[in-house]
């Protein structure tokens, strides 16, 4: 079975695929054009898919009738039309859990960086404008006892809530499709309506799976409803927020600060004025960028492909309904 891998991944995953006797196809360069990528996809049985630049939409599936399986090197699958994949009996695997700690660490890092204006103060040091001690300058805010609102309390949201509770005694509120009993029992988290989440959070951190109805959910009218001292954190997908509205809300002091590991668009423009604001910290989508998480992702992606090659169910499959069609 031929497996196309569009970028280098940690050796752990490659070794597993090789030991399983699969034929691995790597492109000679890292950044393929859409057409080059499509050519590889047309001539393979399965893909280990790295990055979300290209969409797995109806046009793609129509162009690749031989493709039988996709193993994403990510937990997010918003770049894949799952309905189209399922219609064609193509299982789509992802990499949950192994990156929950790393990604929630970044949310936690951003929350603190914004609260203490770390990026801005670092820039001042770098630019040689440290200056004399000033009791009224560079003031941040403390997080102790504040209310953390989690939008989407799954694995990553839980880890963020747990860290914030332990470190700062934060009070956890959340909004989710379903109640999270564990978070309620173990962290004392309270389920609230979306409106209450927006109005009552001192820090609002986004951790939901992105779907088209979430497109720019956090826009001017929502920032208007947030507390003026609130911090907005997004480590999920840039599409959740309207970045111009976010900038304006910060300038107009509708909210206090923002920490982004995902931007809209992505990559963002280096001239975006939001980067000049003192209570903003932006990172280039590094949530899962640790050795441990990336090794784990390589392992899970390989496990998904190997299971598929043996006509077994992918252990982490986002459309398991495909198996009711062609496996027992
Ligand atoms: C994920 O796994 O979804 C991360 O955002 C990396 O793309």
């Amino acid at each position: 079975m031929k497996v196309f891998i569009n970028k280098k991944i940690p050796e752990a995953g490659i070794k597993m695929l090789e030991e399983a006797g699969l034929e691995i196809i790597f492109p000679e360069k890292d950044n393929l054009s859409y057409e080059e990528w499509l050519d590889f996809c047309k001539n393979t049985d399965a893909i280990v898919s790295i990055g979300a630049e290209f969409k797995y939409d109806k046009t793609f599936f129509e162009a690749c009738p031989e493709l039988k399986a996709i193993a994403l090197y990510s937990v997010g699958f918003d770049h894949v039309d799952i309905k189209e994949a399922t219609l064609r009996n193509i299982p789509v695997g992802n990499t949950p859990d192994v990156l929950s700690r790393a990604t929630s660490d970044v949310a936690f890092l951003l929350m603190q960086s914004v609260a203490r204006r770390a990026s801005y103060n670092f820039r001042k040091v770098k630019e040689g404008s440290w200056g004399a001690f000033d009791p009224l300058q560079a003031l941040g805010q403390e997080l102790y006892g504040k209310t953390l609102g989690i939008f989407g309390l799954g694995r990553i949201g839980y880890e963020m809530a747990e860290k914030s509770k332990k470190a700062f005694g934060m009070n956890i509120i959340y909004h989710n499709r379903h109640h999270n009993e564990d978070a309620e029992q173990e962290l004392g988290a309270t389920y609230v309506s979306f409106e209450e989440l927006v109005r009552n959070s001192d820090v609002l951190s986004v951790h939901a799976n992105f779907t088209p109805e979430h497109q720019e959910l956090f826009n001017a009218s929502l920032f208007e409803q947030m507390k003026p001292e609130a911090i907005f954190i997004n480590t999920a997908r840039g599409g959740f927020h309207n970045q111009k509205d976010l900038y304006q809300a910060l300038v107009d002091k509708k909210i206090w600060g923002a920490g982004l590991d995902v931007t809209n668009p992505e990559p963002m423009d280096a001239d975006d004025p939001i980067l000049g604001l003192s209570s903003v910290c932006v990172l280039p989508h590094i949530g899962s960028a640790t050795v441990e998480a990336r090794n784990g992702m390589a392992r899970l992606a390989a496990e998904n492909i190997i299971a598929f090659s043996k006509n077994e169910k992918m252990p982490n499959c986002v459309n398991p309904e495909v198996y009711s069609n062609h496996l027992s």
Side-chain angles (χ1 to χ4, degrees), residues 39-55:
D39 274 344
F40 278 105
C41 296
K42 281 178 186 165
N43 294 302
T44 189
D45 300 298
I47 307 176
V48 174
S49 174
I50 297 104
E53 316 59 335
F54 305 135
K55 306 289 169 222

Side-chain angles (χ1 to χ4, degrees), residues 69-197:
I70 301 173
L72 301 175
Y73 188 76
S74 65
V75 67
F77 47 88
D78 47 298
H79 54 308
V80 183
D81 186 332
I82 296 296
K83 205 167 142 217
E84 285 296 329
T86 308
L87 276 175
R88 292 166 169 79
N89 276 340
I90 297 179
V92 179
N94 70 341
T95 60
D97 297 325
V98 290
L99 46 64
S100 301
R101 278 186 174 177
T103 306
S104 60
D105 285 348
V106 167
F108 190 67
L109 167 75
L110 284 170
M111 175 173 74
Q112 293 178 81
S113 302
V114 172
R116 300 302 302 269
R117 303 184 192 262
S119 285
Y120 168 74
N121 284 306
F122 173 69
R123 262 198 322 272
K124 277 179 44 180
V125 176
K126 238 184 133 208
E127 287 162 2
S129 53
W130 184 326
F133 174 79
D134 182 338
L136 299 178
Q137 279 302 306
L139 304 188
Q141 52 166 307
E142 296 187 13
L143 296 162
Y144 298 96
K146 299 239 168 114
T147 294
L148 169 66
I150 302 271
F151 180 59
L153 188 46
R155 292 166 281 233
I156 300 173
Y158 186 97
E159 295 263 353
M160 169 64 171
E162 188 179 38
K163 279 188 252 284
S164 304
K165 176 108 196 158
K166 284 187 179 156
F168 298 113
M170 292 179 89
N171 164 44
I172 313 297
I173 59 175
Y174 74 102
H175 184 76
N176 211 27
R177 274 171 306 166
H178 309 290
H179 279 258
N180 186 321
E181 309 283 345
D182 288 348
E184 291 183 10
Q185 273 164 28
E186 284 156 34
L187 308 176
T190 307
Y191 182 93
V192 293
S193 68
F194 183 63
E195 291 67 31
E196 286 173 297
L197 186 89

